């Protein structure tokens, strides 16, 4: 991470922190009557967050990247 840009480091930390929060939520709300439900929700939630964070990073890059000559 030393040679990467600041934006990509923040994106990585966002991925790690959301995964930890989702994992904490799974263990805090673990139910015995249907134990796989929380894992299925976690997969959908992490997939949606991954996609949204990728789109947000694309928008961030669009507005912050320096554009050179196209010719």
């Amino acid at each position: 991470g030393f040679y990467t840009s600041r934006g990509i480091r923040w994106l990585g930390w966002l991925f790690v922190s959301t995964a930890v929060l989702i994992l904490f939520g799974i263990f805090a709300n673990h139910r015995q009557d249907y134990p796989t439900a929380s894992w299925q929700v976690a997969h959908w939630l992490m997939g949606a967050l991954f996609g949204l964070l990728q789109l947000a990073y694309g928008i961030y890059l669009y507005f912050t990247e320096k554009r050179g000559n196209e010719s």
Side-chain angles (χ1 to χ4, degrees):
F2 184 71
Y3 295 104
T4 60
S5 66
R6 185 179 71 146
I8 199 78
R9 274 184 269 152
W10 276 102
L11 182 68
W13 279 112
L14 279 171
F15 281 137
V16 170
S17 61
T18 54
V20 167
L21 288 174
I22 289 170
L23 188 61
F24 177 72
I26 287 171
F27 288 128
N29 296 325
H30 186 70
R31 297 182 308 184
Q32 294 296 328
D33 55 345
Y34 193 58
T36 58
S38 60
W39 290 104
Q40 293 168 351
V41 170
H43 288 299
W44 282 104
L45 189 62
M46 194 62 200
L49 284 173
F50 180 79
L52 289 175
L53 285 175
Q54 290 291 329
L55 286 173
Y57 187 66
I59 293 168
Y60 168 79
L61 282 179
Y62 180 77
F63 287 112
T64 59
E65 280 290 311
K66 296 178 182 171
R67 292 178 180 85
N69 291 338
E70 298 293 326
S71 54

